[in-house]
Amino acid sequence: MNVIEKLQDKIQQEKANKERAIVFWYDPQQQVSIDELVAQLGDIEVRHLTDRNFFQLKVELEIQRTTDSFLIYSDAPRPNDKDNMLLDILAYSTEFKADETAILSEDLQVSDHVLRPMMEQYPLFFDSQERKRKLGRLLPEEAGDYQFELSILAVLVKASVPDIKVISRQLLINGFHMEDNDFLKQLKRNFSLERTFEIICRYFGVTLERAEEPLVELLNALIYQHFKQSVNFTVEEWDKQWASSSPNVCSLFVEEWLQHGDRSVLEEQIKEWEKRYHVRNQLANQDIENYSLVETFPVVDALMIEKCIDELYHQTINVDDRLSLIDQRLRTHWGSKGKLNSLYETLYEAVRMEKLKAVVNRMQQETDYYGSYAKHLYEIDQTYRHFMYHFTHLDTKDRLEEIASRLTNWYENEYLRRIADEMNFKLEDGYVSKLMPQRTFFAKKILPILEKENTRVFVIISDALRYEAAYELHEQLTERENGTSDIEPMAASFPTYTQLGMASLLPHRKLEVDEKGVVNADGKSTKGMDNRLKILKTVEPQTEALKLKDLLSMKSSEAEQLLRGKRLVYLYHDRIDAHGDSNKTEHETYEAVQNTIKDLHYAVDRLSRLQAKRIFITADHGFLFQFKQIEEHGKIPSVDGKVIDGSRRFAIGHQLSVPEGAFKLTERQSPLKNAEVVLAKSLNRFKTGGGLQFIHGGALPQEAVVPLIEYRRIEKAHPVNLAVAMINKVITNYRVPISFYQEQSVSDEYTSRKVRAAFYQGDERISNEVELVFDLKGENRERNRKVEFNLVEKHYKIGETCKLKIETVTKKGYEPYLEEEFVLRLYEALY
């Protein structure tokens, strides 16, 4: 079909849809003459449009001949809309396009004035139908010259969007050297390398004209500017070599790339940069405060770790400053991954231990020794456990070997020894704790609920769950949005071993031990789950008892069927004691503690989904664990006499001897009234069977202060609300300090809110991105936070606006929360 036939079809289509046809044809190639058109189109008026007759044509079309059809032909390109005097008529008529450029212009929905020069300038690009098809997908509507060029670049480097940041990242990922980068070869052949680097240089504010390897120099400048953004000193040589007029743009580019899925290329180049330009040497002579905010190089974290270790070793550390620093570094790119993260985690606990050493001085300040442990001292055991857990999992321990040795020596020979000596004195003086006795748990906590509430109660008993570990679990449970957690200490029954501890948590009036070592509650055996269930059913017939892992392994439908109609459910969990009581696995005790906390947190989650509203978590006893080899002087002779039951720390029976290094409990100190109880003093172990590192049965608070967590499922708590606490929302500088106000204090009704915030214009992010957790408690004045954002350097019109967008960070992703509009008045950008 020739061009005239196509034109005739277009005219007929227009006539079929409208009362008359008015068709414009801009034909700069002059494919036909006016005479030929007049001859071929006999049923339509043909008018030749010039720059002198547009007014005459307008009169004829709209006043004189309002029902006739016309072809308006021009042998010039279509003018810009603002210069088109017949634009109003063109708007309600139609345009015929015959040449390839015009057709492509229509397909791409781009002005002929933009497309035609591009096709002339980059003809090889338009030789490919595939490239033109991809261009059509990427090209923005009403694209100008710059957007068109970006779209061509995006096609050639396989970028997902025509964005200079994405294009630059694609180029850099493909290779830094000219001869190796396939995308550069494509650009050279089908576009222009000179124009490509002109666009890149203008965006990043860098100069690459003289660079033999422009991509290498570009990356050098980007990395340096990211470093310079947060450092408090200047390296003049670097500053001259990799200067940028848009440092925030460069820094933001690196920040976003490090958050991107293909960041491995950048990470390797950063490490190479660090070595090549001797970053360590530049930082080594600086105070740590001068680069504490730098996130560019992993050597920054290595130096900080070395500094903290050195300060610990020489006892010169400022613990509060270093705890704050490590906490901040744990959230940085390099500090949050791999070996650096492991070292930071370990070091954090070592520094925290230094701070907690002062807590030991409070030992004698409390009226109740166990109460003092539950308020303060438990943190030392918790911190030491964390430290040793992380330390034993380090790939290379040599850096912290000496610190670990010192801490272990202090923990075992000073802290535990001092506690043990204090405990010896108190117990021999008839000490009975003022804490709630473990044996009253059922009567005081469970029975009132069964009598007064129509609520199903779950009791989880985790064997050897120490108070400090339960406190960590409690802190995690307080962060749940649909529940509240409370924790209190109980005084375990002496001796602190499983049989008696489990019996103490059952309903009873009297506990006795028979000649086989079985603890009886009111004459009934408490050994084994079946016997415990029988005792529980005497108080509440609708009771179930089973292993926690069995319930958690059930499908929801199976669990619901099992629990239907039940009012009381006892669940038994045994991971810590199972590991600790075996010689082969007792060294894995702290690993077992970590896994137990995970088990129990998951259990609360699962039970909550089964509509459990009241969950109690407790233990039969705690434990004492020592890493060091137990010396012979810590082993004392076994108890003689009629021993019914016993272990490394206790003996139960009749006519018992009391070896040196042990003592006998008074009747008031143990619930077992029909037997004598002998406990090992201090940290001593009897020379009997069983492990030496993991022990319990004695009266140290680590063994005898047991936790009681009460978790209640409630209606979902509301995250705290935030406000931007600024009256004048005007930005006058590329560095923007923002004050946030947390409207409510964190409580049972309000939980913390984690947010991500950044400045945007439309969909374009124009600042760094910040993640914050608002979990503040206290008065109004105590719930303010100030954060600094850096805007990218570009021209902002005086009076134009941008938005601070704040999103809530959830487990499922990010949810829009708050937007605040700011007016941009960056006057200094004008001069």
Side-chain angles (χ1 to χ4, degrees):
M1 184 181 292
N2 63 34
V3 67
I4 297 295
E5 291 173 336
K6 290 180 181 178
L7 176 60
Q8 287 174 327
D9 283 349
K10 186 75 171 179
I11 292 169
Q12 292 305 317
Q13 290 173 15
E14 191 72 1
K15 280 185 174 182
N17 294 328
K18 301 176 182 178
E19 294 180 1
R20 64 169 177 167
I22 299 177
V23 179
F24 284 77
W25 183 11
Y26 297 98
D27 181 26
Q29 284 84 18
Q30 300 180 21
Q31 300 176 68
V32 296
S33 67
I34 286 290
D35 292 340
E36 187 179 359
L37 286 172
V38 172
Q40 294 286 339
L41 305 175
D43 59 343
I44 189 171
E45 294 287 337
V46 178
R47 294 289 183 270
H48 185 199
L49 176 62
T50 70
D51 57 1
R52 295 183 179 180
N53 68 346
F54 64 86
F55 184 73
Q56 177 190 337
L57 280 173
K58 192 174 183 69
V59 171
E60 190 172 4
L61 291 170
E62 295 197 321
I63 297 176
Q64 296 175 347
R65 301 178 64 179
T66 57
T67 60
D68 295 336
S69 296
F70 287 86
L71 171 67
I72 311 300
Y73 175 81
S74 171
D75 52 14
R78 173 175 167 168
N80 289 323
D81 287 351
K82 64 180 181 178
D83 299 324
N84 194 339
M85 298 301 178
L86 297 181
L87 183 63
D88 56 337
I89 299 175
L90 180 58
Y92 64 76
S93 58
T94 190
E95 181 181 357
F96 173 69
K97 297 181 180 180
D99 68 312
E100 181 185 357
T101 303
I103 293 171
L104 183 59
S105 172
E106 186 171 323
D107 290 343
L108 297 177
Q109 296 184 337
V110 66
S111 167
D112 187 82
H113 282 279
V114 173
L115 176 61
R116 199 170 296 277
M118 292 291 171
M119 293 188 72
E120 293 172 358
Q121 192 170 0
Y122 311 118
L124 288 177
F125 176 86
F126 292 95
D127 278 351
S128 166
Q129 290 296 329
E130 178 66 15
R131 286 196 292 266
K132 287 188 284 189
R133 184 178 62 79
K134 291 179 178 178
L135 181 66
R137 290 205 302 263
L138 292 175
L139 199 64
E141 291 184 11
E142 300 181 1
D145 292 346
Y146 180 66
Q147 291 89 350
F148 204 106
E149 288 182 312
L150 285 184
S151 299
I152 292 175
L153 287 170
V155 170
L156 293 173
V157 304
K158 299 181 179 179
S160 57
V161 290
D163 183 300
I164 188 60
K165 292 178 289 186
V166 180
I167 292 165
S168 300
R169 189 165 65 227
Q170 285 290 98
L171 269 176
L172 290 165
I173 288 171
N174 198 246
F176 304 106
H177 301 289
M178 301 287 284
E179 68 273 11
D180 301 328
N181 193 310
D182 292 335
F183 289 160
L184 285 180
K185 295 173 184 176
Q186 287 287 326
L187 291 167
K188 184 177 182 179
R189 183 184 307 116
N190 298 301
F191 186 63
S192 163
L193 280 182
E194 183 180 351
R195 178 58 180 155
T196 299
F197 286 117
E198 183 184 336
I199 291 171
I200 289 173
C201 288
R202 184 172 63 187
Y203 179 75
F204 291 110
V206 297
T207 303
L208 302 174
E209 287 87 348
R210 300 178 182 176
E212 292 183 11
E213 295 288 357
L215 289 182
V216 172
E217 286 305 294
L218 172 63
L219 188 62
N220 285 341
L222 293 171
I223 292 172
Y224 171 65
Q225 291 299 330
H226 187 263
F227 167 76
K228 182 184 176 183
Q229 189 83 358
S230 305
V231 76
N232 289 335
F233 63 92
T234 301
V235 182
E236 292 185 7
E237 180 185 350
W238 296 352
D239 216 36
K240 291 177 182 177
Q241 191 170 355
W242 300 304
S244 170
S245 60
S246 302
N248 290 350
V249 172
C250 298
S251 180
L252 181 59
F253 178 82
V254 173
E255 177 192 317
E256 289 182 337
W257 193 355
L258 286 173
Q259 296 170 354
H260 203 265
D262 52 16
R263 58 180 171 265
S264 58
V265 172
L266 177 59
E267 289 176 338
E268 289 305 312
Q269 288 305 308
I270 285 174
K271 292 176 184 177
E272 184 63 30
W273 205 105
E274 177 187 290
K275 294 176 185 176
R276 182 180 302 156
Y277 299 108
H278 309 292
V279 175
R280 175 184 281 270
N281 294 343
Q282 292 290 346
L283 299 178
N285 296 323
Q286 296 287 333
D287 289 337
I288 199 170
E289 287 71 21
N290 285 335
Y291 57 86
S292 62
L293 298 178
V294 173
E295 300 184 20
T296 315
F297 303 110
V299 71
V300 170
D301 295 290
L303 286 170
M304 289 181 179
I305 288 169
E306 289 176 10
K307 177 72 171 175
C308 290
I309 292 173
D310 184 69
E311 290 174 343
L312 278 171
Y313 185 83
H314 292 97
Q315 297 290 294
T316 58
I317 196 162
N318 184 318
V319 291
D320 289 328
D321 287 350
R322 292 300 175 250
L323 287 173
S324 177
L325 176 67
I326 296 171
D327 185 59
Q328 168 216 323
R329 299 307 301 184
L330 281 167
R331 295 192 291 271
T332 62
H333 177 76
W334 298 106
S336 64
K337 58 193 297 183
K339 295 179 181 178
L340 289 171
N341 179 261
S342 298
L343 283 166
Y344 270 136
E345 293 278 13
T346 311
L347 196 54
Y348 184 88
E349 302 303 335
V351 178
R352 187 178 173 215
M353 186 71 102
E354 289 297 320
K355 182 175 182 177
L356 289 173
K357 285 181 178 180
V359 174
V360 177
N361 297 326
R362 304 180 192 175
M363 266 191 204
Q364 297 172 322
Q365 296 175 10
E366 303 287 343
T367 54
D368 182 27
Y369 191 59
Y370 283 179
S372 176
Y373 180 83
K375 287 181 181 178
H376 312 295
L377 295 176
Y378 77 89
E379 290 186 77
I380 295 175
D381 294 288
Q382 185 186 79
T383 302
Y384 179 73
R385 171 174 60 83
H386 284 163
F387 173 79
M388 292 306 296
Y389 173 81
H390 291 304
F391 175 73
T392 54
H393 284 79
L394 290 176
D395 290 337
T396 53
K397 302 179 177 63
D398 55 314
R399 291 186 182 186
L400 286 167
E401 284 279 10
E402 178 61 27
I403 302 299
S405 178
R406 286 187 182 187
L407 284 182
T408 297
N409 183 64
W410 180 86
Y411 177 76
E412 296 190 3
N413 295 327
E414 293 189 43
Y415 167 65
L416 289 182
R417 186 69 58 186
R418 185 170 174 182
I419 281 184
D421 291 344
E422 191 73 22
M423 205 68 224
N424 290 343
F425 171 77
K426 288 183 177 293
L427 287 168
E428 289 180 331
D429 197 39
Y431 172 77
V432 175
S433 175
K434 295 179 182 178
L435 296 181
M436 184 181 99
Q438 182 187 43
R439 63 182 180 274
T440 66
F441 162 73
F442 192 91
K444 289 187 175 181
K445 296 293 183 180
I446 304 303
L447 191 58
I449 299 174
L450 297 175
E451 291 176 343
K452 299 177 183 178
E453 301 179 25
N454 186 23
T455 303
R456 181 185 295 158
V457 181
F458 289 85
V459 177
I460 302 174
I461 303 172
S462 184
D463 203 330
L465 178 65
R466 199 158 65 170
Y467 183 81
E468 56 86 4
Y471 201 95
E472 184 176 335
L473 172 64
H474 156 69
E475 289 180 315
Q476 294 178 11
L477 294 177
T478 58
E479 296 175 3
R480 292 176 59 87
E481 295 179 348
N482 61 344
T484 63
S485 176
D486 293 295
I487 186 170
E488 64 178 294
M490 296 190 297
S493 299
F494 291 157
T496 53
Y497 75 115
T498 300
Q499 277 284 319
L500 181 56
M502 292 296 182
S504 297
L505 296 167
L506 296 170
H508 67 276
R509 290 184 298 277
K510 183 171 66 173
L511 296 175
E512 296 176 316
V513 61
D514 65 20
E515 297 305 307
K516 294 181 180 180
V518 176
V519 177
N520 294 320
D522 302 331
K524 298 174 183 175
S525 171
T526 64
K527 185 176 182 179
M529 197 155 42
D530 290 341
N531 285 324
R532 294 170 195 164
L533 179 58
K534 290 177 185 177
I535 292 171
L536 289 166
K537 283 189 172 183
T538 62
V539 178
E540 173 50 65
Q542 296 302 321
T543 297
E544 186 61 75
L546 67 159
K547 292 180 179 179
L548 178 64
K549 66 178 181 180
D550 291 342
L551 180 65
L552 297 183
S553 65
M554 293 180 186
K555 296 178 181 178
S556 295
S557 56
E558 295 173 337
E560 288 170 357
Q561 178 66 31
L562 176 70
L563 299 177
R564 185 169 293 136
K566 299 293 188 293
R567 293 206 58 216
L568 178 62
V569 182
Y570 262 52
L571 299 166
Y572 293 93
H573 176 263
D574 183 14
R575 185 189 284 270
I576 300 171
D577 211 48
H579 274 74
D581 274 344
S582 169
N583 286 331
K584 294 181 180 179
T585 58
E586 66 175 343
H587 65 279
E588 299 173 358
T589 294
Y590 286 168
E591 184 96 29
V593 173
Q594 288 298 111
N595 289 327
T596 291
I597 292 170
K598 292 177 184 176
D599 291 348
L600 297 175
H601 196 204
Y602 173 71
V604 170
D605 184 63
R606 183 73 193 281
L607 292 175
S608 294
R609 282 186 269 129
L610 290 170
Q611 304 305 308
K613 293 184 178 180
R614 301 292 292 274
I615 303 171
F616 292 89
I617 302 172
T618 187
D620 50 351
H621 55 78
F623 67 87
L624 188 64
F625 183 78
Q626 291 177 264
F627 266 96
K628 294 179 90 173
Q629 191 71 28
I630 306 304
E631 304 290 342
E632 281 301 317
H633 62 73
K635 301 173 186 176
I636 60 176
S638 300
V639 175
D640 293 328
K642 189 176 181 181
V643 178
I644 296 172
D645 201 353
S647 75
R648 292 281 189 182
R649 292 284 281 168
F650 74 95
I652 300 172
H654 305 289
Q655 301 171 357
L656 300 180
S657 67
V658 184
E660 185 177 354
F663 68 96
K664 184 180 293 186
L665 294 179
T666 66
E667 286 191 5
R668 291 182 64 246
Q669 291 175 314
S670 174
L672 296 174
K673 305 304 180 187
N674 67 330
E676 298 174 355
V677 178
V678 174
L679 301 184
K681 285 184 179 182
S682 188
L683 306 176
N684 295 335
R685 279 89 160 151
F686 292 121
K687 292 180 179 179
T688 57
L692 285 169
Q693 290 177 288
F694 176 92
I695 55 172
H696 58 85
L700 264 65
Q702 291 85 350
E703 304 166 277
V705 177
V706 292
L708 176 57
I709 294 174
E710 182 176 357
Y711 180 83
R712 294 172 181 252
R713 190 170 67 84
I714 59 173
E715 293 300 319
K716 189 175 180 179
H718 299 287
V720 294
N721 292 311
L722 309 178
V724 178
M726 299 172 66
I727 298 173
N728 297 317
K729 296 184 177 66
V730 178
I731 296 174
T732 60
N733 197 295
Y734 286 122
R735 293 202 168 191
V736 188
I738 299 294
S739 294
F740 292 99
Y741 171 61
Q742 180 183 309
E743 295 185 352
Q744 298 87 17
S745 178
V746 169
S747 63
D748 289 348
E749 295 181 6
Y750 289 96
T751 187
S752 62
R753 184 188 292 273
K754 185 176 183 180
V755 299
R756 180 175 72 174
F759 280 93
Y760 286 81
Q761 281 190 315
D763 293 329
E764 179 189 3
R765 177 151 69 96
I766 61 169
S767 80
N768 58 314
E769 195 171 68
V770 177
E771 279 199 359
L772 300 164
V773 176
F774 287 88
D775 56 359
L776 304 173
K777 296 181 180 180
E779 301 299 322
N780 291 353
R781 63 181 179 275
E782 300 173 310
R783 302 199 303 270
N784 286 286
R785 293 187 68 176
K786 184 171 282 188
V787 182
E788 192 171 83
F789 294 86
N790 296 314
L791 295 189
V792 298
E793 299 90 349
K794 67 175 186 176
H795 175 67
Y796 300 101
K797 294 179 182 178
I798 301 299
E800 71 175 311
T801 61
C802 63
K803 287 186 177 179
L804 177 62
K805 291 186 179 181
I806 303 170
E807 299 171 301
T808 299
V809 182
T810 69
K811 293 179 181 178
K812 297 179 180 179
Y814 300 95
E815 297 176 355
Y817 171 62
L818 182 65
E819 290 186 6
E820 289 284 352
E821 188 170 85
F822 283 73
V823 177
L824 291 156
R825 297 190 183 278
L826 283 81
Y827 294 110
E828 68 271 24
L830 299 176
Y831 50 86

